[in-house]
C-alpha cells in the first residue's frame, strides 16, 4: 500500500507517520543535472539554454517544495537569481546564467540541504576586437635586412585571445616587401608575418596588421644604414642619405672607400642618378657579375666640382650594384644618392652633353630625336656612352620610321674622338653595326639622321652577339 496516499486521506493510521519517512518530510539526498550542462557561449554572454535540476531523496523520488541555492563557483559570471524552490516534480530551473569575461571553463555550485551539484559551461572568445604588436618585435634594423617574423596578438572586447582568425599584413610605401601577406592566429591569438625585408629608406618603416573589419595596428621599425662593407638595397624613387665611414668597402686600385647598394630591375629601365656630396665623389654601376656598365670618375670627363654628380642609365632587367665612392682616401663624410625615373634626352649642359646617358649589353632605349641636344656631326644628336673591354664585340642597331638613320660609334677617350664604326641609310629603316673593342673604356654611340636635321622617334638596341 502507498503510505503517502494513506497520509493524504482520512484513514490516518497510527502505524505510519506522514512525510515519506518514519517521522518527517522528504529530505533531498542528491541533485541531478537534467539538462543544460556543458554548454558553450561567448565569454560575457548568457548561456542559451536553461539549466534544469532535479532534487531527489535517498530512494530516488523527486522532492517538491524544497529549497536550493546556486552560486558562481569559477569564472566570475553572474546569476539572475540565487535562491530557488523545486516544483511538484522536484525540478529547479536556472534560466539566467551570464558567463564571466574570461575564456575557459566556468562552473556553478548548486546546494540543497546537504546535497551538492556542479554545472559547467565553456566560455569562448568573441569576435576580433583588438590587435596589438608583440613585445618581442624588432624595433630597428639595417635597410635591406630580413627581420625575424614580427607579429601581433588578436583579442576580443574582453581581451581574450582569438584563435583561427586571419590577419592581413601590408607595408607602407618604401617599407620593403613581405614574404607573405596573411597569417592565422594560433591558440594564443598570435599571428606572425612570414618575413619582412626592410626597404631602402633610412628612418621609420611601417608594417600594418589588420584583423576583422576594424582592428588594426602599425608595427614601426627604425631602418638604418649598415656599418662596414655591407650591400644594401636602393630603389628608384627613394633617396638614400648615406655616409662614408672608415670601415666601409675599399677599392685598392682607386685608393677610395665606397658604399655599395643592390639595384634590382624587373624590366628594362631608364633612370637618372644623382650623388650630392663633397667635390670629387664618384659613382659606378656594375652588373651583379661585376662588369662595369657606367662610371663617372672625378677627372676632366666629370669635373670634381660638378655637384650634384648627375648621370643617366638605360639598363636591361637584372641585378646591378651601385657604388658611391669617397672624394679621397681619407675624407669620410655624408652624401645623398638619388635614383629617379625622370630620364630624358634634354641636355642641361650642351657643351659636355650632360647628363650623360650610359647603356650596356641588353639595353634598349626609345627616344625622340630633336634639335638642340648635342652636336658632333650636326644640330640634332643624341648620345649614349658604352663601356667596353678589349676583345668584347657589340652589335648596335638604330631603327626608325621617322627619319633616315645615321649610327656612329666612336672612341670617346680623346678630344678628337675618332669614329670606330658607323652605319648610314638614306631612307627610314634600321642602321646596324658590329664592332670588336680594341681598348678598354668609353665608347660613344651617336644617334643622328642622314641629313643631320631630321627629327623623330627611334629605338636603339645594344646586344652582345
Amino acid at each position: 500500500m502507498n503510505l503517502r496516499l494513506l497520509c493524504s486521506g482520512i484513514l490516518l493510521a497510527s502505524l505510519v507517520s506522514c512525510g515519506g519517512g518514519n517521522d518527517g518530510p522528504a529530505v533531498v539526498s542528491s541533485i541531478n543535472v537534467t539538462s543544460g550542462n556543458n554548454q558553450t557561449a561567448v565569454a560575457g554572454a548568457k548561456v542559451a539554454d536553461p539549466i534544469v535540476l532535479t532534487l531527489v531523496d535517498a530512494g530516488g523520488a523527486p522532492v517538491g517544495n524544497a529549497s536550493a541555492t546556486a552560486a558562481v563557483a569559477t569564472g566570475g559570471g553572474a546569476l539572475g537569481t540565487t535562491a530557488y524552490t523545486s516544483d511538484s516534480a522536484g525540478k529547479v530551473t536556472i534560466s539566467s546564467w551570464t558567463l564571466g569575461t574570461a575564456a575557459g571553463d566556468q562552473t556553478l555550485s548548486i546546494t540543497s540541504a546537504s546535497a551538492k551539484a556542479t554545472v559547467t559551461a565553456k566560455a569562448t572568445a568573441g569576435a576580433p576586437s583588438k590587435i596589438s604588436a608583440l613585445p618581442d618585435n624588432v624595433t630597428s634594423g639595417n635597410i635591406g635586412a630580413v627581420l625575424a617574423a614580427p607579429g601581433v596578438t588578436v583579442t576580443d572586447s574582453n581581451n581574450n585571445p582569438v584563435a583561427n582568425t586571419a590577419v592581413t599584413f601590408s607595408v607602407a610605401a618604401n617599407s620593403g616587401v613581405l614574404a607573405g601577406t596573411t597569417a592565422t592566429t594560433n591558440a594564443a591569438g598570435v599571428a606572425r608575418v612570414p618575413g619582412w625585408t626592410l626597404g631602402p629608406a633610412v628612418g621609420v618603416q611601417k608594417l600594418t596588421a589588420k584583423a576583422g573589419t576594424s582592428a588594426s595596428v602599425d608595427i614601426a621599425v627604425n631602418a638604418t644604414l649598415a656599418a662596414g662593407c655591407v650591400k644594401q638595397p636602393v630603389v628608384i624613387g627613394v633617396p638614400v642619405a648615406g655616409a662614408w665611414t672608415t670601415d666601409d668597402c675599399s677599392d685598392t686600385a682607386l685608393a677610395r672607400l665606397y658604399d655599395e647598394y643592390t639595384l634590382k630591375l624587373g624590366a628594362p629601365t631608364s633612370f637618372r642618378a644623382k650623388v650630392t656630396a663633397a667635390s670629387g665623389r664618384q659613382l659606378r654601376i656594375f652588373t651583379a657579375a661585376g662588369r662595369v656598365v657606367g662610371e663617372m670618375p672625378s677627372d676632366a670627363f666629370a669635373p670634381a666640382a660638378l655637384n650634384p654628380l648627375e648621370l643617366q642609365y638605360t639598363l636591361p632587367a637584372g641585378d646591378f650594384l651601385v657604388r658611391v665612392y669617397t672624394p679621397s682616401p681619407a675624407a669620410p663624410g655624408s652624401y645623398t644618392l638619388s635614383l629617379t625615373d625622370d630620364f630624358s634626352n634634354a641636355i642641361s649642359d650642351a657643351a659636355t652633353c650632360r647628363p650623360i646617358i650610359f647603356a650596356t649589353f641588353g639595353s634598349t632605349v626609345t627616344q625622340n630625336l630633336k634639335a638642340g641636344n648635342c652636336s658632333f656631326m650636326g644640330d640634332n644628336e643624341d648620345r649614349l656612352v658604352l663601356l667596353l673591354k678589349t676583345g668584347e664585340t657589340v652589335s648596335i642597331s638604330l631603327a626608325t620610321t621617322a627619319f633616315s638613320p645615321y649610327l656612329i660609334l666612336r672612341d670617346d677617350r680623346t678630344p678628337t674622338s675618332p669614329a670606330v664604326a658607323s652605319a648610314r641609310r638614306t631612307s627610314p629603316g634600321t642602321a646596324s653595326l658590329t664592332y670588336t673593342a680594341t681598348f678598354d673604356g668609353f665608347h660613344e654611340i651617336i644617334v643622328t639622321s642622314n641629313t643631320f636635321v631630321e627629327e623623330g622617334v627611334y629605338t636603339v638596341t645594344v646586344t652582345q652577339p
Side-chain angles (χ1 to χ4, degrees), residues 410-427:
R410 68 175 190 169
D411 179 349
D412 200 41
R413 296 175 300 167
T414 65
T416 56
S417 300
V420 294
S422 65
R424 191 171 190 174
R425 286 179 58 95
T426 58
S427 61

Side-chain angles (χ1 to χ4, degrees), residues 431-464:
S432 301
L433 62 82
T434 298
Y435 166 76
T436 299
T438 60
F439 61 90
D440 293 349
F442 291 88
H443 295 70
E444 188 170 47
I445 302 169
I446 296 179
V447 175
T448 187
S449 70
N450 185 55
T451 63
F452 306 112
V453 295
E454 293 173 279
E455 298 181 343
V457 175
Y458 67 86
T459 297
V460 169
T461 303
V462 181
T463 59
Q464 188 173 31

Side-chain angles (χ1 to χ4, degrees), residues 5-195:
L5 292 176
L6 287 175
C7 288
S8 64
I10 298 174
L11 299 176
L12 298 176
S14 60
L15 51 99
V16 289
S17 298
C18 296
N22 291 328
D23 55 5
V27 176
V28 176
S29 176
S30 60
I31 303 171
N32 298 331
V33 181
T34 304
S35 63
N37 198 17
N38 297 318
Q39 295 186 67
T40 298
V42 173
K46 292 182 179 180
V47 296
D49 300 325
I51 298 158
V52 179
L53 310 165
T54 303
L55 310 184
V56 298
D57 63 14
V63 179
N65 200 35
S67 297
T69 59
V72 174
T74 62
L79 290 169
T81 302
T82 59
Y84 300 86
T85 300
S86 62
D87 63 13
S88 60
K91 303 293 184 184
V92 169
T93 300
I94 300 175
S95 58
S96 179
W97 179 17
T98 300
L99 299 181
T101 57
D105 289 340
Q106 302 190 22
T107 58
L108 295 181
S109 178
I110 317 299
T111 303
S112 181
S114 61
K116 296 181 182 296
T118 298
V119 176
T120 300
K122 185 177 185 62
T124 60
S129 176
K130 305 174 186 177
I131 186 169
S132 57
L134 292 173
D136 64 357
N137 287 343
V138 175
T139 58
S140 64
N142 295 327
I143 63 174
V146 179
L147 301 184
V152 295
T153 299
V154 178
T155 57
D156 64 9
S157 59
N158 293 313
N159 297 318
N160 294 302
V162 181
N164 300 316
T165 292
V167 178
T168 301
F169 297 92
S170 61
V171 289
N174 306 321
S175 293
V177 295
L178 301 176
T181 57
T182 59
T184 302
T185 55
N186 60 18
V190 172
R192 293 183 182 271
V193 66

Side-chain angles (χ1 to χ4, degrees), residues 201-228:
V202 174
V204 176
Q205 297 192 27
K206 188 172 71 173
L207 169 70
T208 298
K210 293 184 178 180
T213 57
S214 60
S216 68
V217 67
D218 290 336
I219 300 172
V221 170
N222 183 40
T224 59
L225 291 171

